[in-house]
Amino acid sequence: MKILMVCLGNICRSPMAEGILRHHAEEQGWSITVDSAGTGGWHVGEAPDKRAIRAAKQYGVDISQLRARQFSADDFDRFDRIFVMDRSNRSNVLALARNEEDRLKVDLFLHQLQPMSDAEVPDPWYGDEDGFHSVYDLLERASLAFIRKARSGTEAL
Ligand code: 4NP
C-alpha cells in the first residue's frame, strides 16, 4: 500500500505524519510506502521545521532527512490513499482531482480516529513547542488506528 500525507507547507504536520506512520508500520512488520507533500510551494526543498524534528526525535522518529515538495496531480497515480491534515488541504487536493477515482483516495487523516467528525490536525506553525507535541500525539493515534484497520481489512476506501 502507498500512502501520501498532505498538509500546507510540508514542513510540520505531513512530514511528522510520514515519519510516525513509517515508524509504526516498520515496528509492526508491515511493509508500506509512505511519503508526504504540501499543497503550497513556499518551502520546497527545505527540511522539516526544527520544532517538528525535535518533537519527533524525542519519540525516536528521525524526520531530519525529509525534504518538502509540492503536491501535484501525478500523486493521484502514485498513491492508493491521500491523507490530508485539514479541510483546507482537502479542498486544495480535491481541486486537482481528475475523476471520481482520484477523489475517493482523499480523506482527512483524523477520520481514522473519529470517522463521524471533520476533525483537523491543527497547524502548529504559529504556536509554541507544545503544539508540536500535541500534534505528534494526534498523528500517532491516527497512525495506529489506520494500521490496525488497514491490516484487519476494515479501513474504508
Ligand atoms: P504545515 O505548516 O502545513 O503543517 O507544514 C505550515 C508551514 C508553513 C506555513 C504554513 C503552515 N507557511 O505559511 O509558510
Side-chain angles (χ1 to χ4, degrees):
M1 191 181 290
K2 296 187 178 124
I3 312 293
L4 182 67
M5 300 292 188
V6 176
C7 63
L8 178 60
N10 194 209
I11 54 169
C12 298
R13 294 164 293 176
S14 62
M16 288 174 86
E18 175 186 344
I20 293 167
L21 179 60
R22 181 180 295 120
H23 172 79
H24 284 292
E26 276 173 9
E27 200 169 72
Q28 297 189 28
W30 187 35
S31 171
I32 54 171
T33 297
V34 194
D35 192 9
S36 63
T39 58
W42 313 283
H43 298 281
V44 168
E46 291 179 21
D49 187 282
K50 286 193 172 55
R51 296 164 296 176
I53 294 176
R54 264 200 304 271
K57 196 173 170 199
Q58 285 192 21
Y59 302 95
V61 176
D62 181 9
I63 59 168
S64 63
Q65 300 308 309
L66 302 183
R67 294 295 176 265
R69 71 172 180 89
Q70 189 166 15
F71 180 84
S72 74
D74 293 352
D75 287 315
F76 288 112
D77 299 322
R78 298 175 48 222
F79 295 93
D80 305 304
R81 298 287 277 140
I82 297 171
F83 286 127
V84 292
M85 300 298 127
D86 63 31
R87 294 190 289 265
S88 154
N89 307 150
R90 182 171 61 187
S91 306
N92 290 331
V93 168
L94 288 176
L96 295 175
R98 302 152 302 179
N99 51 46
E100 188 61 12
E101 191 187 345
D102 288 356
R103 279 188 282 278
L104 284 171
K105 293 183 175 182
V106 182
D107 198 9
L108 287 168
F109 192 36
L110 290 191
H111 271 164
Q112 297 301 316
L113 273 184
Q114 302 168 28
M116 306 308 281
S117 90
D118 261 4
E120 304 181 296
V121 180
D123 188 344
W125 168 255
Y126 295 105
D128 59 14
E129 195 101 11
D130 280 355
F132 284 80
H133 288 271
S134 49
V135 162
Y136 188 97
D137 178 64
L138 264 181
L139 293 172
E140 181 167 61
R141 287 191 289 123
S143 294
L144 291 170
F146 169 65
I147 292 172
R148 183 163 26 79
K149 288 193 244 185
R151 298 196 82 188
S152 67
T154 58
E155 202 258 333
L157 230 195

